[in-house]
mmCIF file of all heavy atoms in Angstrom:
data_model
loop_
_atom_site.group_PDB
_atom_site.id
_atom_site.type_symbol
_atom_site.label_atom_id
_atom_site.label_comp_id
_atom_site.label_asym_id
_atom_site.label_seq_id
_atom_site.Cartn_x
_atom_site.Cartn_y
_atom_site.Cartn_z
ATOM 1 N N GLY A 173 49.405 46.417 31.535
ATOM 2 C CA GLY A 173 48.300 46.859 32.373
ATOM 3 C C GLY A 173 47.330 45.764 32.730
ATOM 4 O O GLY A 173 46.160 46.024 33.037
ATOM 5 N N TRP A 174 47.807 44.533 32.690
ATOM 6 C CA TRP A 174 46.925 43.398 32.982
ATOM 7 C C TRP A 174 46.750 43.247 34.489
ATOM 8 O O TRP A 174 47.728 43.168 35.245
ATOM 9 C CB TRP A 174 47.509 42.104 32.420
ATOM 10 C CG TRP A 174 47.501 42.063 30.905
ATOM 11 C CD1 TRP A 174 47.029 43.010 30.054
ATOM 12 C CD2 TRP A 174 48.017 41.001 30.096
ATOM 13 N NE1 TRP A 174 47.203 42.617 28.755
ATOM 14 C CE2 TRP A 174 47.808 41.384 28.738
ATOM 15 C CE3 TRP A 174 48.624 39.788 30.355
ATOM 16 C CZ2 TRP A 174 48.190 40.571 27.674
ATOM 17 C CZ3 TRP A 174 49.005 38.987 29.296
ATOM 18 C CH2 TRP A 174 48.789 39.372 27.967
ATOM 19 N N ASP A 175 45.500 43.161 34.923
ATOM 20 C CA ASP A 175 45.179 43.010 36.337
ATOM 21 C C ASP A 175 44.860 41.541 36.614
ATOM 22 O O ASP A 175 43.757 41.069 36.343
ATOM 23 C CB ASP A 175 43.980 43.903 36.684
ATOM 24 C CG ASP A 175 43.645 43.863 38.174
ATOM 25 O OD1 ASP A 175 44.512 43.439 38.958
ATOM 26 O OD2 ASP A 175 42.506 44.228 38.523
ATOM 27 N N ILE A 176 45.856 40.833 37.115
ATOM 28 C CA ILE A 176 45.695 39.404 37.404
ATOM 29 C C ILE A 176 45.859 39.186 38.907
ATOM 30 O O ILE A 176 46.748 39.771 39.531
ATOM 31 C CB ILE A 176 46.745 38.570 36.640
ATOM 32 C CG1 ILE A 176 46.611 38.813 35.124
ATOM 33 C CG2 ILE A 176 46.600 37.080 36.945
ATOM 34 C CD1 ILE A 176 47.707 38.147 34.299
ATOM 35 N N LYS A 177 45.021 38.361 39.493
ATOM 36 C CA LYS A 177 45.078 38.113 40.926
ATOM 37 C C LYS A 177 46.469 37.653 41.356
ATOM 38 O O LYS A 177 47.094 36.818 40.703
ATOM 39 C CB LYS A 177 44.039 37.071 41.321
ATOM 40 C CG LYS A 177 42.603 37.545 41.145
ATOM 41 C CD LYS A 177 41.610 36.452 41.514
ATOM 42 C CE LYS A 177 40.171 36.925 41.323
ATOM 43 N NZ LYS A 177 39.189 35.857 41.633
ATOM 44 N N GLU A 178 46.942 38.175 42.481
ATOM 45 C CA GLU A 178 48.298 37.905 42.940
ATOM 46 C C GLU A 178 48.536 36.439 43.279
ATOM 47 O O GLU A 178 49.678 35.964 43.246
ATOM 48 C CB GLU A 178 48.608 38.762 44.169
ATOM 49 C CG GLU A 178 48.693 40.254 43.871
ATOM 50 C CD GLU A 178 49.039 41.052 45.118
ATOM 51 O OE1 GLU A 178 49.191 40.416 46.196
ATOM 52 O OE2 GLU A 178 49.183 42.287 45.022
ATOM 53 N N ASP A 179 47.473 35.728 43.637
ATOM 54 C CA ASP A 179 47.640 34.327 44.031
ATOM 55 C C ASP A 179 47.400 33.368 42.856
ATOM 56 O O ASP A 179 47.065 32.193 43.052
ATOM 57 C CB ASP A 179 46.703 33.981 45.195
ATOM 58 C CG ASP A 179 45.227 34.241 44.871
ATOM 59 O OD1 ASP A 179 44.948 34.861 43.826
ATOM 60 O OD2 ASP A 179 44.364 33.822 45.677
ATOM 61 N N SER A 180 47.593 33.842 41.636
ATOM 62 C CA SER A 180 47.353 33.026 40.439
ATOM 63 C C SER A 180 48.575 32.197 40.058
ATOM 64 O O SER A 180 49.711 32.681 40.096
ATOM 65 C CB SER A 180 46.995 33.923 39.251
ATOM 66 O OG SER A 180 45.777 34.609 39.470
ATOM 67 N N GLY A 181 48.334 30.957 39.671
ATOM 68 C CA GLY A 181 49.331 30.203 38.931
ATOM 69 C C GLY A 181 49.260 30.682 37.488
ATOM 70 O O GLY A 181 48.196 31.073 37.002
ATOM 71 N N LEU A 182 50.384 30.655 36.791
ATOM 72 C CA LEU A 182 50.423 31.189 35.435
ATOM 73 C C LEU A 182 50.910 30.135 34.447
ATOM 74 O O LEU A 182 51.793 29.335 34.746
ATOM 75 C CB LEU A 182 51.349 32.407 35.370
ATOM 76 C CG LEU A 182 50.997 33.586 36.272
ATOM 77 C CD1 LEU A 182 52.075 34.656 36.173
ATOM 78 C CD2 LEU A 182 49.635 34.159 35.902
ATOM 79 N N GLY A 183 50.308 30.159 33.272
ATOM 80 C CA GLY A 183 50.737 29.265 32.204
ATOM 81 C C GLY A 183 50.711 29.995 30.879
ATOM 82 O O GLY A 183 49.880 30.878 30.670
ATOM 83 N N ILE A 184 51.611 29.629 29.992
ATOM 84 C CA ILE A 184 51.682 30.237 28.663
ATOM 85 C C ILE A 184 51.089 29.275 27.637
ATOM 86 O O ILE A 184 51.339 28.065 27.694
ATOM 87 C CB ILE A 184 53.142 30.561 28.277
ATOM 88 C CG1 ILE A 184 53.783 31.466 29.328
ATOM 89 C CG2 ILE A 184 53.209 31.194 26.898
ATOM 90 C CD1 ILE A 184 53.148 32.832 29.438
ATOM 91 N N LYS A 185 50.318 29.818 26.700
ATOM 92 C CA LYS A 185 49.677 29.010 25.661
ATOM 93 C C LYS A 185 50.297 29.375 24.305
ATOM 94 O O LYS A 185 49.773 30.217 23.583
ATOM 95 C CB LYS A 185 48.175 29.288 25.649
ATOM 96 C CG LYS A 185 47.364 28.521 24.594
ATOM 97 C CD LYS A 185 45.912 28.987 24.606
ATOM 98 C CE LYS A 185 45.091 28.325 23.514
ATOM 99 N NZ LYS A 185 44.811 26.905 23.792
ATOM 100 N N PRO A 186 51.424 28.771 23.944
ATOM 101 C CA PRO A 186 52.039 29.105 22.657
ATOM 102 C C PRO A 186 51.352 28.369 21.501
ATOM 103 O O PRO A 186 51.210 27.146 21.520
ATOM 104 C CB PRO A 186 53.483 28.626 22.823
ATOM 105 C CG PRO A 186 53.406 27.528 23.838
ATOM 106 C CD PRO A 186 52.246 27.841 24.735
ATOM 107 N N ILE A 187 50.911 29.124 20.507
ATOM 108 C CA ILE A 187 50.365 28.576 19.272
ATOM 109 C C ILE A 187 51.090 29.284 18.137
ATOM 110 O O ILE A 187 50.874 30.480 17.915
ATOM 111 C CB ILE A 187 48.845 28.818 19.151
ATOM 112 C CG1 ILE A 187 48.077 28.243 20.356
ATOM 113 C CG2 ILE A 187 48.308 28.246 17.833
ATOM 114 C CD1 ILE A 187 48.065 26.724 20.428
ATOM 115 N N SER A 188 51.955 28.593 17.437
ATOM 116 C CA SER A 188 52.775 29.242 16.412
ATOM 117 C C SER A 188 52.195 29.043 15.019
ATOM 118 O O SER A 188 51.470 28.078 14.748
ATOM 119 C CB SER A 188 54.203 28.692 16.448
ATOM 120 O OG SER A 188 54.243 27.357 15.958
ATOM 121 N N GLU A 189 52.561 29.953 14.128
ATOM 122 C CA GLU A 189 52.159 29.818 12.729
ATOM 123 C C GLU A 189 52.783 28.567 12.113
ATOM 124 O O GLU A 189 52.112 27.787 11.429
ATOM 125 C CB GLU A 189 52.563 31.059 11.941
ATOM 126 C CG GLU A 189 52.187 30.984 10.466
ATOM 127 C CD GLU A 189 52.532 32.249 9.695
ATOM 128 O OE1 GLU A 189 53.075 33.201 10.306
ATOM 129 O OE2 GLU A 189 52.268 32.287 8.475
ATOM 130 N N SER A 190 54.059 28.368 12.357
ATOM 131 C CA SER A 190 54.744 27.217 11.759
ATOM 132 C C SER A 190 54.184 25.901 12.294
ATOM 133 O O SER A 190 53.954 24.950 11.534
ATOM 134 C CB SER A 190 56.247 27.299 12.022
ATOM 135 O OG SER A 190 56.519 27.360 13.422
ATOM 136 N N GLY A 191 53.954 25.840 13.628
ATOM 137 C CA GLY A 191 53.413 24.624 14.217
ATOM 138 C C GLY A 191 52.006 24.329 13.745
ATOM 139 O O GLY A 191 51.640 23.178 13.474
ATOM 140 N N SER A 192 51.195 25.363 13.624
ATOM 141 C CA SER A 192 49.812 25.193 13.171
ATOM 142 C C SER A 192 49.764 24.751 11.715
ATOM 143 O O SER A 192 49.025 23.832 11.342
ATOM 144 C CB SER A 192 49.038 26.506 13.338
ATOM 145 O OG SER A 192 48.980 26.887 14.697
ATOM 146 N N LYS A 193 50.560 25.416 10.897
ATOM 147 C CA LYS A 193 50.501 25.115 9.461
ATOM 148 C C LYS A 193 50.997 23.713 9.127
ATOM 149 O O LYS A 193 50.450 23.036 8.254
ATOM 150 C CB LYS A 193 51.277 26.179 8.680
ATOM 151 C CG LYS A 193 50.523 27.499 8.559
ATOM 152 C CD LYS A 193 51.223 28.483 7.631
ATOM 153 C CE LYS A 193 50.349 29.694 7.368
ATOM 154 N NZ LYS A 193 50.989 30.682 6.464
ATOM 155 N N ARG A 194 52.046 23.248 9.827
ATOM 156 C CA ARG A 194 52.514 21.905 9.484
ATOM 157 C C ARG A 194 51.517 20.842 9.920
ATOM 158 O O ARG A 194 51.365 19.818 9.256
ATOM 159 C CB ARG A 194 53.910 21.652 10.072
ATOM 160 C CG ARG A 194 54.001 21.561 11.574
ATOM 161 C CD ARG A 194 55.428 21.224 12.003
ATOM 162 N NE ARG A 194 55.526 21.091 13.450
ATOM 163 C CZ ARG A 194 56.623 20.671 14.074
ATOM 164 N NH1 ARG A 194 57.704 20.368 13.386
ATOM 165 N NH2 ARG A 194 56.647 20.565 15.393
ATOM 166 N N LEU A 195 50.797 21.101 11.010
ATOM 167 C CA LEU A 195 49.757 20.184 11.460
ATOM 168 C C LEU A 195 48.612 20.153 10.454
ATOM 169 O O LEU A 195 48.168 19.084 10.009
ATOM 170 C CB LEU A 195 49.260 20.619 12.842
ATOM 171 C CG LEU A 195 48.182 19.849 13.604
ATOM 172 C CD1 LEU A 195 46.774 20.163 13.152
ATOM 173 C CD2 LEU A 195 48.440 18.369 13.622
ATOM 174 N N ILE A 196 48.132 21.305 10.063
ATOM 175 C CA ILE A 196 47.004 21.392 9.131
ATOM 176 C C ILE A 196 47.407 20.883 7.754
ATOM 177 O O ILE A 196 46.625 20.220 7.063
ATOM 178 C CB ILE A 196 46.484 22.843 9.083
ATOM 179 C CG1 ILE A 196 45.922 23.223 10.467
ATOM 180 C CG2 ILE A 196 45.428 23.019 7.997
ATOM 181 C CD1 ILE A 196 45.756 24.708 10.691
#
Side-chain angles (χ1 to χ4, degrees):
W174 291 359
D175 184 18
I176 301 174
K177 293 178 181 178
E178 292 182 359
D179 57 350
S180 296
L182 301 175
I184 304 296
K185 179 185 176 72
I187 304 291
S188 71
E189 179 177 0
S190 58
S192 298
K193 284 187 171 180
R194 68 177 182 173
L195 181 279
I196 296 163

